[in-house]
Amino acid sequence: MTRDEPADETPADEQLLVLPDDLRNELKEPLGPVETDAERLLEAVDGPIIAVGDVVTYHLLQAGRQPDVALVDGRTKREAVDAEIREAVTAGASLEVTNPPAELAAPVVRALRRALAADDPTTIVVDGEEDLVALPAIVAAPDGASVVYGQPDEGMVHVTVTDDLRDEMRALLERFEGDTERFWALLEDAASNGE
């Protein structure tokens, strides 16, 4: 990035999808049941866990389960998380990427692909925002995997990956603005390597 570029813009070759304004309200609805107790949530888990968000990841770690893939950005509800959470969720972080707010950029999609294919738990530290990564994670994760993300002021949303849900997320992602063809090429690589 040169000094002339605004800090919140992604280089054109790295930007894939941008969340259009008309989808923002639609995405506020949880995609699955909302749980406030991590231990109870874990009772319903059968397979790998992809955690999206610092507080969600922290609660899963506190309940004794390291997510197979965790995406964290050091923030919750647009505020910095406290030091205890930040240290707990970034300990042993494997990958660091940039992903601007309201976007899905190539680096985070590539990191998700690598994390899903890895044998060991992988934490991806995102400079920017990781919220939207739950959508491609649902598409790329294997059947029966759990994608868990935070619902502000409510709890943790637990989504169990199925073919129907994958199709729903594909349709939703098709409504984003940007280079969907390149996005799918990167993500399909993730799905084929992750299974």
Side-chain angles (χ1 to χ4, degrees), residues 93-183:
S94 311
L95 301 169
E96 293 185 22
V97 297
T98 299
N99 190 68
E103 290 187 24
L104 287 167
V108 80
V109 175
R110 284 193 290 265
L112 175 64
R113 180 184 72 209
R114 286 179 54 197
L116 288 168
D119 292 330
D120 296 322
T122 304
T123 299
I124 302 166
V125 178
V126 178
D127 177 13
E129 193 173 273
E130 89 296 79
D131 300 5
L132 291 176
V133 183
L135 305 176
I138 291 168
V139 173
D143 278 345
S146 292
V147 176
V148 183
Y149 67 90
Q151 187 75 6
D153 301 318
E154 290 186 44
M156 297 170 281
V157 179
H158 178 203
V159 180
T160 302
V161 176
T162 63
D163 283 336
D164 286 346
L165 187 59
R166 255 193 220 105
D167 290 345
E168 195 179 316
M169 292 307 102
R170 283 178 187 278
L172 190 63
L173 286 160
E174 280 291 330
R175 294 167 57 199
F176 277 56
E177 297 167 353
D179 191 347
T180 53
E181 189 173 314
R182 185 160 174 249
F183 170 78

Side-chain angles (χ1 to χ4, degrees), residues 7 24 27 39 44-45 50 65 74 90 123 143 145 152 156 166 172:
R24 289 180 187 268
L27 289 176
E39 290 179 14
V45 169
I50 297 99
R65 178 66 153 85
T90 59
T123 299
D143 278 345
M156 297 170 281
R166 255 193 220 105
L172 190 63

